[in-house]
Amino acid sequence: DREVLKREELVEAFTMDGLQPSSGVFDVEKFQWMNGVYIRETPTADLIHKLRQFVKDRVVLDYWEAPAEEGAPVKPDMLPQLGMLQIAFERDPEYAGKAVALEQERVQTLPEFGPATAFFFEDEPPMDQKAVAKWFGQPHVSDLFDYLIERLNEPRASLPGLSASTGASVEWCETLIRHYATEKGFDKLGPVVHPVRVALTGKTVGPGLFELMSVLGPERMLTRLQRARALVR
């Protein structure tokens, strides 16, 4: 009743009994799922080391640059995001490592870290227009963005959990969002969390909002919220 076993366990459990002569089946989706299990089980420091080698490996880059073979599914264009991740590792390895750590639970293969982390490194992440239409059209969103911008513009020294040197703590980010929701009488966080996520990432899904806010830090959050505020009428 187990689907993932260590090599030693497979050797110990293997037997010729019951084997039948038939065609083998290679389930790509199951293989990708299992690869995701291994990624999640890998210590984050080791994963980051593997990924840093992966994104600059010439064999990897040649594969993503080459067109798909005739009859094969079209390959997603991951090269720009992988290149972005490689540059991020070179310029700010600590920030890039934090972004990777946040996505470790969400990806199944190493190339997926490119598109998964891209919004951390883009100055203006592309906006999901359906999400913008849905969430930025809510009547409270302009006030929400104004509130967050005002808080992020306050002197860092006056805000416990927020500083120029250490950024924003997860606790500070959560308190910020929950305080607004409580103050405005929202029973659930959804109406606050969703528009903020779209403003900061351009997407409706991703890592936990408070954690990604902490990794982005005050300056990136402020820039992206100001951009989003300009889209709200």
Side-chain angles (χ1 to χ4, degrees):
D1 297 325
R2 296 172 59 194
E3 295 184 287
V4 180
L5 292 88
K6 298 184 184 302
R7 182 179 301 178
E8 296 79 9
E9 294 172 322
L10 286 170
V11 171
E12 183 179 351
F14 181 79
T15 174
M16 297 290 289
D17 297 341
L19 292 185
Q20 301 290 330
S22 60
S23 300
V25 176
F26 189 82
D27 188 334
V28 175
E29 290 187 6
K30 192 60 171 285
F31 175 71
Q32 290 176 328
W33 169 84
M34 187 175 292
N35 200 69
V37 172
Y38 292 132
I39 284 178
R40 292 189 291 276
E41 290 181 349
T42 302
T44 302
D46 294 344
L47 176 64
I48 290 172
H49 176 73
K50 291 177 184 291
L51 196 53
R52 294 190 71 166
Q53 301 304 311
F54 180 83
V55 295
K56 63 182 180 182
D57 190 308
R58 190 63 252 174
V59 174
V60 171
L61 300 179
D62 286 346
Y63 169 79
W64 288 105
E65 286 175 351
E69 296 181 4
E70 185 175 352
V74 177
K75 290 187 293 188
D77 187 13
M78 290 194 183
L79 196 61
Q81 291 93 346
L82 290 173
M84 197 181 307
L85 183 55
Q86 179 184 357
I87 293 171
F89 275 130
E90 294 170 355
R91 292 180 177 175
D92 193 342
E94 182 179 1
Y95 177 60
K98 289 180 179 178
V100 168
L102 269 190
E103 295 288 357
Q104 184 172 354
E105 293 291 322
R106 299 175 52 79
V107 303
Q108 294 185 322
T109 65
L110 293 182
E112 290 177 11
F113 277 103
T117 61
F119 74 86
F120 283 103
F121 314 122
E122 294 166 317
D123 291 333
E124 295 187 350
M127 291 276 192
D128 180 334
Q129 293 304 309
K130 290 184 178 179
V132 169
K134 178 178 180 179
W135 292 109
F136 287 15
Q138 302 292 319
H140 68 283
V141 169
S142 60
D143 178 67
L144 167 62
F145 289 168
D146 286 341
Y147 167 81
L148 296 176
I149 290 169
E150 182 179 350
R151 292 301 306 276
L152 288 167
N153 268 321
E154 292 178 20
R156 300 286 185 259
S158 66
L159 299 172
L162 184 66
S163 70
S165 58
T166 60
S169 69
V170 174
E171 294 75 18
W172 185 89
C173 296
E174 181 174 359
T175 299
L176 181 68
I177 296 298
R178 289 189 181 279
H179 180 269
Y180 180 87
T182 300
E183 189 178 71
K184 300 300 179 179
F186 289 103
D187 295 329
K188 298 182 179 180
L189 285 182
V192 179
V193 165
H194 295 308
V196 174
R197 179 185 295 280
V198 176
L200 296 180
T201 71
K203 302 187 291 185
T204 57
V205 297
L209 178 65
F210 311 136
E211 288 77 12
L212 75 84
M213 289 173 68
S214 178
V215 172
L216 285 172
E219 299 307 323
R220 292 186 185 90
M221 283 195 286
L222 183 58
T223 299
R224 296 179 187 203
L225 285 165
Q226 289 171 331
R227 171 196 175 203
R229 179 64 182 87
L231 299 176
V232 180
R233 291 176 170 78

